Amino acid sequence: MTEPAAPRPKPRRARGLPDRRGADLAVERQLISRVSKVYEDWGFEPLETPAFEYADALGKFLPDQDRPNEGVFAFEDDEEWVALRYDLTAPLARFVAENFDALPKPYRRWAAGPVWRNEKPGPGRFREFWQCDADTVGSASPAADAEMIAMACAAYSAVGLADGQFQIKFSTRKLLDAVLEKIGVAADAYSTRLVVLRAIDKFDRLGVKGVEALLGAGRKDESGDFTKGAGLDAAQAKAVLDLVGAGKGTRAEVLNRLAEIGGEAAIAELRAIDAALSALNVSEAQAQIDPTIVRGLEYYTGAVFEGQLIGGDGVFGSIGGGGRYDDLVARFRGERIPATGFSIGVSRLAAALQSKQAAQSDGPVLVLVMDQERVADALAMADELRRAGVRAETYLGAAGMKAQLKYADKRAAPIAIIQGGDELAKGVVTLKDLKLGAKIAAGLGEDREAYAKAREQVQQQAPRAQLVAAVQQMLAR
Amino acid sequence: MTEPAAPRPKPRRARGLPDRRGADLAVERQLISRVSKVYEDWGFEPLETPAFEYADALGKFLPDQDRPNEGVFAFEDDEEWVALRYDLTAPLARFVAENFDALPKPYRRWAAGPVWRNEKPGPGRFREFWQCDADTVGSASPAADAEMIAMACAAYSAVGLADGQFQIKFSTRKLLDAVLEKIGVAADAYSTRLVVLRAIDKFDRLGVKGVEALLGAGRKDESGDFTKGAGLDAAQAKAVLDLVGAGKGTRAEVLNRLAEIGGEAAIAELRAIDAALSALNVSEAQAQIDPTIVRGLEYYTGAVFEGQLIGGDGVFGSIGGGGRYDDLVARFRGERIPATGFSIGVSRLAAALQSKQAAQSDGPVLVLVMDQERVADALAMADELRRAGVRAETYLGAAGMKAQLKYADKRAAPIAIIQGGDELAKGVVTLKDLKLGAKIAAGLGEDREAYAKAREQVQQQAPRAQLVAAVQQMLAR
C-alpha cells in the first residue's frame, strides 16, 4: 500500500538557511558550551524562550526596516501576528515584564539559540544564525556594563582566542546625544538621531567620506542607489566627525580627549566603566574606548560594545556586541528597568575559529560485517567496546569489504575490526590501524626500516576474548 | 530623545509556547548532553538543519491533518510556502536527498532541537518542544532497527532511569499489512489502512471497545463528536483485534503467537530484531514486542518503537518513539533509501525526570556591595574567586544589605561575602555560610550543642588576602 502519487518535490532549502554537520557543528556546540560555562561562572542562569513571539512584543528595532516585514519572518497565529525572534534580547524584555515580581533583581540570565532575520543573505551572512547572550536586567550601574565587557573577554579566551586575537571596543550613545544637543539638533528629533547613528555605524565600511555624506545631504553608492542623509550642515557634521575621530590610544587618553568634546554624563559613565574594567583585570589590549562604535539595533540607550576578531592584517570582523537598553522593558511596564547585555555571534565566531583550528577528531571504531548471517557477532563486538568506553559502530549497509573500508575512511574511523571465516575458526579478530595506514600511505619519509616496521603494525590479530584490550592498546599508541 | 509613542504591548506569549529557566532548563540541557553522548558513542555524527523548510519538502505526515495548516506553522517566503519543522526526520530526508552522493552510506546522524506543531495545546502538551533523534539512513538491516532500540535503552539509562523505570515496546507495521491482506482489504486501500492504523494507535487511551468501534462504523466520544470508522465488518475487525491482543509475555512467546497469525516477512523481521537485541544485551524487561504499537506519523513503513516511562502504578507515558521509514527519501529521489530512527521527547522526559530528581544545585557565591563607591573592590573579589574556579557574582543592584541577602537566597548562593567599613579598616572580609544558615533556620533537631556550634560557624572572618582559600574551605565543608 503506497501513498497516493504526488509530484516529486525538489530537495532544497530556502536561501540563507544553512545545514551544519559533523566537525563544523561540533565546533559551534563546543563554543556554546565554553561560553555558557563562563556565563554560569559569572552568576548567570539559563533561560530559553520560544522561537516566535507576538510581533508587538518583539517590537521594531532592526536597522533594515525597509526589508519585507521589516526584517522579520512573520505569520498569523490565532488571528494575531507572530514573528520569529530576530535576537534574544527582545524576548528577554517580554519575559522580564511578564514575570517581573517573581524574578530576583537584578535578573542575570544567559541564553543560546537561533535567531532569524528576513534579510538578503550573502557569503557568511545567513537568515538563521545562533547567538549566545548574557544580560543583567535591573542594574543601572556602569559596573554591570563593565562586567559584560570583561565577561566577553573571558568568553573569547575560553574558546581559544589568545590576547591580541580579539578586542572589545566600547563607547556610549550618550556621547552622541551630548554632541547633538550642542549642535542644536532638537531632543525630539527622533529620526535625525537615528540617521546619524546609522551613518556612524557604517564608519568601518564607508570611512570618513562616506559618513560625512550620510550626515549631510546623502550618499550615492556604487550601484547608483541613493541613501538620504541626516541633513546636518557642515559645522554640525564636523562636530559629529570630531567625536567619531576621538578614539585613539589608551582608555585614559581617549577619555581625556572626549572630556574636551563634552557630555558630562557620558564621560562619567565611561570613567566608571574604565575603573571597573581595571578592577576586573581587563587590559588595554582587551578593551578600548572607540566612539565609532554605536551598534545598529535601535534599542540601545547608553553603553555599547563590539567584539572584534583581530586577523594578521588588522580587524577581521565583528564576533559579538551589545549594550545598555534601559527602555526595552519599559515598553511593557511603563516603569524604566535598566538593563545591559552582550551577545556573541556563534556562527561567525565558529567560522573564524575553524580557520584557526581545523578540528579533525577521530570517528568511531568500525566493526565490519563479513557475512550477513553473522551480524549479531559484529553487533556484540561493538557493544563490548562501547561498554568499555570506546566509541564503536557496526557497519549496517549491504556492501562488501572494500566498500566497508572506504566507509571507515569517510567516517575517520581509527580502527577497523574484521572477523571473517578464517578468523572465526581460529577464535581471533583482525584489527586494522587505519590512522597508521593513512600515515604510511602518505609516506613515512626515507626511513625504510621504519616503513617496514609500521606496515607490520597496521594489521594485527588478537584472540576474540582480548578484543577490548587490543583495541584500547592500538588506540593508545 | 525617545521613540515616538506607541500603544504599550502586553507581555504575553502565544499559547502552548513555554519559557524555561534555571534548574528546569538545566535538566533538559543535561539530558540532551547525556543522550547525545550515547549517540556519539554509537557512531552517529551531529547534524543541524534550519528551523523551517519548504512545505513540500517537509510533506504531510502528521496525524492531525484536520488542524489549520495541517498541523504545521506555515508562512510565505519569496512567494513560496515554508513551514516550521514538525519533527527532525522530514528535514533529514530532505538533507540526505540533497547531499546523497557526498554522504557516507549508511549515513548515521543525531540531531537535537525544537520542533513545532500547530495543535491544540494542553497540560504538558506544547506547540514547541525539543526532540533528540538518531537515524541510520541507507540500511535495510533489522540490525539497524535493533540498534535504535538498544541505543534508546542506553540513552534512558544514561539520563538516570533504572531498569524497570522504562521500557521500549516495538512491533512492525508489516504485521497489520499481512492481516489486512488476509481479510481482503485491498492493497491500495490507502485511507482504510490509515484509519485502521490510527484506531490501533489509540488503543492505550480507548481500550479494546474504543478501537473496535473505530475499526467498524465509528465512535462517538464523551463530547458527542463522532469519528468515522474504517468500516470493517465484524470478522475483519476481529482479525485486527486478535493481532492487537497478541502481545503478552517474553519476546519469544509473542513471536510464537504472532507466527500463528501469520505474515512471514513481518515475523522474520521481528525475529531478526530479537536476535540482534540479544547480541546487544537488551533484556526482556528493557524491550518487548507489542502489536498495539503502530505510531501516529504516517511515514513509517516497517518496524516501529515506543519508549515508555514506567511509574509506580504501571505505564506513565511515552518518552520517545520511532521506526523505519523506507519511503521518505524516495519522495525526493524516486529510488528507495531504507532508513530507521528513534526520537526522544526531551521536554517530556525532562518533566518526568524532574519529578524523580529535584535538581537543586547551588548558585554562585555572592559578593555584596556595602558602599557604591567601593563597587570596584567587590568586582575584584568576585574576579579573584572566578579565576580560582569558583562561580561568583557581584551584586549590582542598588539595594541595601538586607535586600542583598534576600537576593542571595533567591539565587541559592552558598556563601555571601561582605566587606563593610569596619572590615575594610581591619583588612578582613566576612563570609556568611548561607547553606548552613538555612539548615539552622530549618531547625537542627534537639541537639543544643550542635546548634550553638553551627551558629558560630555560619559567620566567619578571614584576612582579605585569604579570601579565596577561606571560600574554598567553606564550600568544601
Side-chain angles (χ1 to χ4, degrees):
Chain A
M1 281 178 234
T2 55
E3 194 185 352
R8 199 188 288 171
K10 264 220 181 83
R12 75 227 148 94
R13 281 159 293 136
R15 46 197 191 109
L17 299 178
D19 288 323
R20 282 124 58 233
R21 62 175 279 227
D24 291 359
L25 185 53
V27 168
E28 279 197 29
R29 294 265 163 89
Q30 191 186 57
L31 193 156
I32 291 168
S33 136
R34 288 184 180 171
V35 170
S36 61
K37 166 84 167 59
V38 170
Y39 292 163
E40 296 256 349
D41 283 350
W42 285 67
F44 290 74
E45 64 159 65
L47 171 69
E48 187 161 292
T49 60
F52 57 93
E53 302 256 352
Y54 286 120
D56 67 345
L58 289 177
K60 296 173 180 175
F61 300 101
L62 287 178
D64 285 318
Q65 294 204 4
D66 47 337
R67 301 284 315 159
N69 287 321
E70 302 187 319
V72 301
F73 292 100
F75 52 101
E76 277 186 297
D77 177 46
D78 292 339
E79 291 167 19
E80 287 195 74
W81 280 96
V82 294
L84 293 177
R85 64 185 176 213
Y86 55 82
D87 72 1
L88 301 174
T89 311
L92 169 65
R94 187 272 307 156
F95 174 82
V96 169
E98 191 177 352
N99 301 280
F100 194 73
D101 292 332
L103 294 176
K105 274 155 287 263
Y107 174 58
R108 295 155 75 85
R109 84 91 175 81
W110 71 268
V115 301
W116 296 269
R117 303 240 175 122
N118 196 354
E119 295 170 348
K120 207 173 138 189
R125 191 182 173 87
F126 297 106
R127 300 199 298 169
E128 170 180 294
F129 53 93
W130 277 63
Q131 295 189 326
C132 189
D133 290 20
D135 293 83
T136 299
V137 182
S139 171
S141 169
D145 299 307
E147 266 200 353
M148 288 299 151
I149 295 169
M151 192 164 55
C153 290
Y156 290 135
S157 300
V159 301
L161 291 179
D163 272 12
Q165 291 187 313
F166 68 89
Q167 186 171 58
I168 316 283
K169 295 188 164 170
F170 67 99
S171 181
T172 172
R173 284 194 175 174
K174 286 181 192 153
L175 281 175
L176 180 66
D177 290 342
V179 169
L180 290 180
E181 203 189 333
K182 210 163 72 175
I183 62 177
V185 173
D188 58 349
Y190 175 71
S191 64
T192 303
R193 177 178 185 254
L194 256 187
V195 176
V196 171
L197 270 176
R198 284 180 185 155
I200 300 174
D201 193 35
K202 290 177 182 140
F203 184 86
D204 253 14
R205 201 149 45 83
L206 305 181
V208 176
K209 280 269 169 252
V211 174
E212 194 169 13
L214 286 171
L215 292 174
R219 177 178 177 273
K220 196 184 274 188
D221 67 17
E222 303 80 57
S223 70
D225 282 354
F226 183 76
T227 307
K228 199 170 170 291
L232 303 188
D233 65 30
Q236 288 175 319
K238 183 177 177 302
V240 173
L241 289 171
D242 281 349
L243 168 64
V244 168
K248 290 272 177 299
T250 65
R251 300 198 292 255
E253 284 164 9
V254 177
L255 274 168
N256 289 337
R257 211 171 302 127
L258 288 173
E260 285 168 30
I261 294 177
E264 238 176 277
I267 307 298
E269 185 180 314
L270 291 176
R271 281 200 197 285
I273 293 176
D274 175 46
L277 287 179
S278 300
L280 291 165
N281 290 301
V282 174
S283 70
E284 294 281 343
Q286 288 175 324
Q288 272 190 354
I289 301 174
D290 181 345
T292 68
I293 301 298
V294 290
R295 303 294 298 164
L297 283 163
E298 192 181 319
Y299 50 57
Y300 294 121
T301 53
V304 278
F305 336 116
E306 185 165 306
Q308 297 182 336
L309 192 71
I310 315 288
D313 48 354
V315 171
F316 191 63
S318 169
I319 48 172
R324 181 164 280 285
Y325 50 98
D326 288 349
D327 291 329
L328 208 49
V329 180
R331 285 183 66 235
F332 299 99
R333 294 179 53 86
E335 182 193 358
R336 199 174 217 216
I337 310 289
T340 185
F342 195 89
S343 173
I344 287 183
V346 175
S347 316
R348 258 196 212 185
L349 182 53
L353 285 173
Q354 254 167 332
S355 58
K356 285 182 189 295
Q357 41 176 253
Q360 185 47 49
S361 62
D362 283 345
V365 169
L366 183 73
V367 182
L368 273 53
V369 174
M370 309 305 291
D371 172 358
Q372 289 299 332
E373 295 297 305
R374 292 209 298 111
V375 67
D377 294 350
L379 290 171
M381 284 192 253
D383 203 50
E384 265 180 58
L385 287 168
R386 281 189 298 263
R387 285 174 199 269
V390 177
R391 286 174 59 210
E393 76 172 74
T394 308
Y395 178 81
L396 292 178
M401 172 148 167
K402 210 167 161 185
Q404 294 189 42
L405 285 173
K406 219 165 160 184
Y407 173 84
D409 193 47
K410 264 198 175 173
R411 296 299 317 281
I415 298 175
I417 313 285
I418 304 162
Q419 193 188 45
D422 288 355
E423 283 114 335
L424 180 67
K426 283 193 267 177
V428 298
V429 289
T430 296
L431 285 69
K432 226 173 137 79
D433 188 332
L434 301 174
K435 283 176 84 174
L436 187 57
K439 262 190 226 157
I440 292 174
L444 264 179
E446 294 306 300
D447 189 338
R448 275 158 177 276
E449 210 172 303
Y451 182 87
K453 194 167 167 229
R455 272 204 71 108
E456 232 166 67
Q457 288 185 330
V458 169
Q459 198 149 318
Q460 151 181 326
Q461 287 198 335
R464 169 66 184 80
Q466 309 288 313
L467 171 69
V468 170
V471 166
Q472 283 171 330
Q473 210 169 17
M474 193 173 265
L475 284 174
R477 78 189 182 186
Chain B
M1 281 179 234
T2 55
E3 195 185 353
R8 201 188 289 172
K10 266 219 180 82
R12 74 227 147 94
R13 280 160 294 134
R15 49 199 189 109
L17 299 179
D19 287 324
R20 284 126 55 233
R21 62 175 280 228
D24 292 0
L25 183 54
V27 168
E28 280 197 27
R29 294 266 164 89
Q30 192 185 56
L31 193 155
I32 291 169
S33 137
R34 288 184 181 172
V35 169
S36 61
K37 166 83 168 60
V38 170
Y39 292 162
E40 297 255 350
D41 283 350
W42 285 65
F44 291 74
E45 64 158 65
L47 172 70
E48 187 161 293
T49 59
F52 57 92
E53 302 256 353
Y54 285 120
D56 67 345
L58 290 178
K60 296 174 179 176
F61 300 102
L62 287 177
D64 285 318
Q65 294 204 3
D66 48 338
R67 301 285 314 160
N69 288 320
E70 302 187 319
V72 301
F73 293 100
F75 53 100
E76 277 185 297
D77 177 44
D78 291 339
E79 290 166 21
E80 287 195 73
W81 280 96
V82 294
L84 293 177
R85 63 185 178 214
Y86 56 82
D87 73 1
L88 301 175
T89 311
L92 169 65
R94 186 272 306 156
F95 173 81
V96 169
E98 192 177 351
N99 301 282
F100 193 72
D101 293 330
L103 294 175
K105 275 154 290 257
Y107 174 57
R108 296 154 75 86
R109 84 89 174 82
W110 70 269
V115 301
W116 296 269
R117 303 241 175 122
N118 197 355
E119 295 171 348
K120 206 173 139 190
R125 191 182 172 88
F126 297 106
R127 300 198 297 168
E128 169 180 295
F129 54 92
W130 276 64
Q131 295 189 326
C132 189
D133 289 21
D135 293 82
T136 299
V137 183
S139 172
S141 169
D145 299 308
E147 265 200 352
M148 288 299 151
I149 296 169
M151 192 164 55
C153 291
Y156 290 136
S157 300
V159 301
L161 291 178
D163 272 12
Q165 290 186 313
F166 69 89
Q167 186 171 58
I168 315 283
K169 295 188 164 168
F170 67 98
S171 181
T172 171
R173 284 194 175 174
K174 287 181 191 153
L175 281 174
L176 180 67
D177 290 342
V179 169
L180 290 180
E181 203 189 334
K182 209 162 72 175
I183 62 178
V185 173
D188 59 349
Y190 175 70
S191 65
T192 303
R193 177 177 185 255
L194 256 187
V195 177
V196 171
L197 270 176
R198 284 178 186 155
I200 301 175
D201 193 35
K202 289 175 183 141
F203 185 86
D204 253 15
R205 202 147 47 81
L206 305 181
V208 176
K209 280 270 169 256
V211 175
E212 194 169 12
L214 287 172
L215 292 174
R219 176 176 175 274
K220 197 184 275 189
D221 67 17
E222 304 80 57
S223 71
D225 283 354
F226 184 76
T227 307
K228 198 170 171 294
L232 303 188
D233 65 30
Q236 288 175 319
K238 185 179 175 301
V240 173
L241 289 170
D242 282 349
L243 169 63
V244 167
K248 290 271 177 299
T250 64
R251 300 198 293 254
E253 284 165 10
V254 177
L255 274 168
N256 289 337
R257 210 171 303 127
L258 289 173
E260 285 167 31
I261 293 178
E264 237 175 275
I267 307 297
E269 184 180 315
L270 291 175
R271 283 202 196 283
I273 293 176
D274 176 45
L277 288 178
S278 300
L280 291 165
N281 290 301
V282 175
S283 71
E284 293 281 344
Q286 289 176 324
Q288 272 191 354
I289 301 174
D290 182 345
T292 67
I293 299 299
V294 291
R295 303 293 298 163
L297 282 164
E298 193 181 317
Y299 50 59
Y300 294 120
T301 53
V304 278
F305 337 115
E306 184 164 307
Q308 296 182 338
L309 193 71
I310 315 288
D313 46 355
V315 171
F316 192 63
S318 169
I319 47 172
R324 180 164 279 286
Y325 50 96
D326 288 348
D327 291 330
L328 208 49
V329 180
R331 285 182 66 235
F332 299 99
R333 295 181 52 88
E335 182 193 358
R336 199 174 215 217
I337 310 289
T340 185
F342 195 89
S343 173
I344 287 184
V346 175
S347 315
R348 258 196 212 185
L349 182 53
L353 285 173
Q354 254 167 333
S355 58
K356 286 184 188 293
Q357 43 178 254
Q360 185 47 49
S361 62
D362 284 345
V365 169
L366 184 72
V367 182
L368 271 54
V369 174
M370 308 306 289
D371 172 358
Q372 288 298 333
E373 296 295 306
R374 291 209 298 111
V375 66
D377 293 350
L379 291 172
M381 283 192 254
D383 202 51
E384 265 180 57
L385 288 167
R386 282 189 298 262
R387 285 174 200 268
V390 177
R391 286 173 60 209
E393 75 173 72
T394 306
Y395 179 81
L396 291 177
M401 173 148 167
K402 211 168 161 184
Q404 294 190 42
L405 284 172
K406 220 166 159 184
Y407 173 84
D409 193 47
K410 265 198 175 172
R411 296 300 317 279
I415 298 174
I417 312 285
I418 305 162
Q419 192 187 44
D422 289 356
E423 284 115 334
L424 180 65
K426 282 193 269 177
V428 299
V429 288
T430 295
L431 283 70
K432 227 175 137 78
D433 188 331
L434 301 174
K435 283 176 81 173
L436 187 58
K439 261 189 227 158
I440 292 175
L444 266 179
E446 295 304 301
D447 189 337
R448 275 157 178 276
E449 208 172 308
Y451 183 87
K453 194 169 166 230
R455 272 204 71 108
E456 232 166 67
Q457 287 186 330
V458 168
Q459 199 148 318
Q460 148 182 331
Q461 287 198 334
R464 169 66 183 82
Q466 309 286 314
L467 170 70
V468 170
V471 166
Q472 283 171 332
Q473 210 169 18
M474 193 173 264
L475 284 173
R477 77 189 184 186

